[in-house]
Amino acid sequence: MKINATSLAPLAIVAAFGLGTLAPHAQTTPQKLGFVDVQRMLSAHPADKDLQAIQQKANAELEGLQKQIQAIDAKGAGATAAEKQNRTTLVSTIQAKAKAYDDQMKPKMQTVEKAVDTAVNAVAKANGYSIVMDRGVAARSGLVVYADNATDLTDAALKALKP
């Protein structure tokens, strides 16, 4: 039997593909995956009380304005021109107040998020974790169906959380 280049070409392609798929697997190192309860960490930060107070104040004030708008909307076409003008003013007021509350909360929230990120990064690096996921997001999304409780870094990250 005579072997020529055309009969070996398919065999060479299959062999190269097979070797190519094996080589990277031999060089990969195992990676540790951990989880944190981000909501619990955000709530544990001392600035969270300030954020909650601002949010409650905003909700109370904006809810009252929203009820006034709904009362005008309930009248539908029977609303007077003055009521329609008042509705427009109320909508503008809600938007302005909501933006003002957001502007108050944004720097505080950034501070809290940065502190949580720093704590999680420190604990992950110290314990050799290469990937850390939010436990709540992983559970809600169905991305993770099971995780051993030993992979939960929340308590360690809470200890590392610095305001």
Side-chain angles (χ1 to χ4, degrees):
M1 175 173 172
K2 188 174 182 185
I3 299 177
N4 60 25
T6 55
S7 63
L8 286 178
L11 181 61
I13 291 172
V14 170
F17 178 73
L19 291 174
T21 59
L22 293 177
H25 296 293
Q27 297 174 4
T28 59
T29 57
Q31 297 190 4
K32 288 176 74 173
L33 176 66
F35 296 91
V36 292
D37 185 342
V38 173
Q39 191 57 48
R40 187 172 147 206
M41 292 198 62
L42 293 172
S43 297
H45 194 280
D48 186 63
K49 291 177 184 170
D50 293 339
L51 289 167
Q52 293 301 322
I54 294 168
Q55 187 64 54
Q56 288 174 352
K57 185 178 175 185
N59 288 346
E61 186 173 356
L62 298 177
E63 187 176 302
L65 295 171
Q66 187 63 37
K67 285 181 181 178
Q68 291 177 35
I69 292 172
Q70 290 171 345
I72 295 169
D73 288 347
K75 293 180 181 180
T80 66
E83 288 173 325
K84 290 177 182 177
Q85 179 60 39
N86 186 31
R87 183 189 186 286
T88 302
T89 303
L90 288 169
V91 168
S92 297
T93 303
I94 283 180
Q95 291 171 343
K97 288 185 182 267
K99 183 180 180 330
Y101 282 118
D102 285 346
D103 291 345
Q104 271 184 323
M105 292 178 67
K106 188 174 182 176
K108 292 178 188 291
M109 194 62 196
Q110 287 174 337
T111 301
V112 171
E113 288 172 347
K114 184 176 180 181
V116 168
D117 285 346
T118 300
V120 171
N121 287 338
V123 169
K125 287 178 183 175
N127 293 296
Y129 285 87
S130 53
I131 300 171
V132 178
M133 299 175 73
D134 181 344
R135 181 174 287 284
V137 172
R140 281 189 305 277
S141 68
L143 180 66
V144 177
V145 292
Y146 170 79
D148 189 333
N149 285 336
T151 62
D152 191 330
L153 305 174
T154 306
D155 290 334
L158 283 170
K159 289 178 186 173
L161 185 62
K162 295 175 185 149

